[in-house]
Amino acid sequence: MPYHIETGIINNLIILVTLSVVIMSLIHFLNKKTLPSTSPSNHDLAYLKRNTPIAIIDDEDFTDLDGLRNAGYSPTHFRDLDSFDQLISFPIVICDIQGVGSKFGSTTDGSYIIQQVCEQYPDKYTIVFSSKGSSLSMASRIAKADVKLTRGDRDALNNSILTAVKTMGDSVERWKRVRRHLIEEKQVSLYHVWELEQEFIKSLNSKKTKSLSEYVNKHTEDFVKGLLVNFISGLVF
């Protein structure tokens, strides 16, 4: 076969492959779905309270624990953490600053726990409380917490927990939190985030996470796969 004919065949194949990719991308784009403003749910507030576990990390007795249970919430009190895996099943994390976090290093405290929760589980709702002023390093570590409270401010704590439960009961809101983290902190491409969002919408509509899990496992890089798997495991449809 003459060289110029072989080259022509190869060029034609490249063109066909390129066209097929463009066509598939166009079909995918034309079939795009729009993220709803909120997730459709029949769950009432009492259900969300019972089924939204709250982790409270405090080396002291947490005086409001019984009050939260009487109000219908599902809190669990940890004196400290041995591993961040202990928080996987808790959409809401409330953490003291002093007296906790020492098992992660001699200079760490509750602010380090909050920092790591925001990094590893960006969909979780984090509440910090402390009785002392924070240093500059501490302030930077808790900067991304949803709420920062003074210890003993019971009304503010109750209001924050109620807001947290409503937020975590909304799967769309949880996705938006993860989406923001992927773009701003992990620098994941907008197109890949859009693809993930399309898969999330499919799961939202079908109320099944299998296809989203499969997509994440096949098409997502390891440096964000873990946090996406954790996010999926906590979805409530």
Side-chain angles (χ1 to χ4, degrees):
M1 180 182 296
Y3 174 76
H4 68 278
I5 295 177
E6 183 178 344
T7 302
I9 293 173
I10 293 173
N11 288 338
N12 287 337
L13 286 173
I14 292 173
I15 292 171
L16 286 173
V17 171
T18 302
L19 282 174
S20 65
V21 171
V22 171
I23 291 170
M24 291 300 293
S25 296
L26 182 60
I27 292 172
H28 186 50
F29 181 76
L30 291 175
N31 289 329
K32 69 177 182 178
K33 296 176 175 60
T34 303
L35 187 71
S37 58
T38 186
S39 60
S41 174
N42 296 321
H43 302 317
D44 59 17
L45 183 57
Y47 175 91
L48 293 177
K49 284 182 175 182
R50 288 194 307 272
N51 292 278
T52 307
I54 302 170
I56 300 171
I57 308 166
D58 187 1
D59 64 316
E60 300 179 16
D61 291 336
F62 193 79
T63 57
D64 293 320
L65 196 63
D66 288 337
L68 289 175
R69 288 172 177 153
N70 293 337
Y73 294 103
S74 299
T76 298
H77 182 202
F78 296 91
R79 296 282 179 178
D80 205 346
L81 292 183
D82 296 313
S83 167
F84 291 107
D85 288 347
Q86 292 174 265
L87 301 178
I88 288 177
S89 62
F90 293 90
I92 302 170
V93 177
I94 303 174
C95 189
D96 188 15
I97 296 296
Q98 287 79 32
V100 298
S102 61
K103 295 184 180 181
F104 302 109
S106 59
T107 60
T108 57
D109 54 24
S111 66
Y112 177 76
I113 292 176
I114 290 295
Q115 181 190 49
Q116 292 303 305
V117 170
C118 291
E119 172 65 24
Q120 298 181 36
Y121 313 105
D123 63 309
K124 294 187 187 299
Y125 199 100
T126 53
I127 299 173
V128 181
F129 66 92
S130 178
S131 57
K132 297 181 180 180
S134 59
S135 64
L136 290 176
S137 60
M138 184 187 301
S140 66
R141 288 195 292 266
I142 64 174
K144 293 177 184 175
D146 290 283
V147 179
K148 306 170 188 67
L149 301 175
T150 301
R151 190 183 188 97
D153 192 340
R154 182 170 295 182
D155 288 340
L157 178 63
N158 289 336
N159 290 335
S160 297
I161 292 175
L162 181 59
T163 299
V165 166
K166 291 178 179 178
T167 301
M168 293 296 96
D170 187 338
S171 296
V172 171
E173 179 58 33
R174 293 180 74 165
W175 162 248
K176 288 178 180 178
R177 294 162 71 92
V178 172
R179 180 180 66 184
R180 182 170 60 248
H181 185 79
L182 292 175
I183 295 171
E184 296 178 359
E185 303 298 329
K186 297 299 186 180
Q187 286 78 52
V188 177
S189 73
L190 292 176
Y191 182 72
H192 186 46
V193 173
W194 177 80
E195 289 182 313
L196 285 166
E197 184 163 293
Q198 294 302 299
E199 294 300 324
F200 168 73
I201 294 171
K202 290 179 186 177
S203 293
L204 190 67
N205 292 335
S206 67
K207 299 188 184 302
K208 297 178 180 178
T209 61
K210 182 178 179 180
S211 63
L212 178 58
S213 296
E214 290 176 347
Y215 183 87
V216 167
N217 286 327
K218 290 180 180 179
H219 302 288
T220 304
E221 294 186 52
D222 290 341
F223 77 102
V224 293
K225 186 174 292 183
L227 68 86
L228 287 169
V229 169
N230 289 333
F231 162 69
I232 294 169
S233 68
L235 287 175
V236 179
F237 294 133

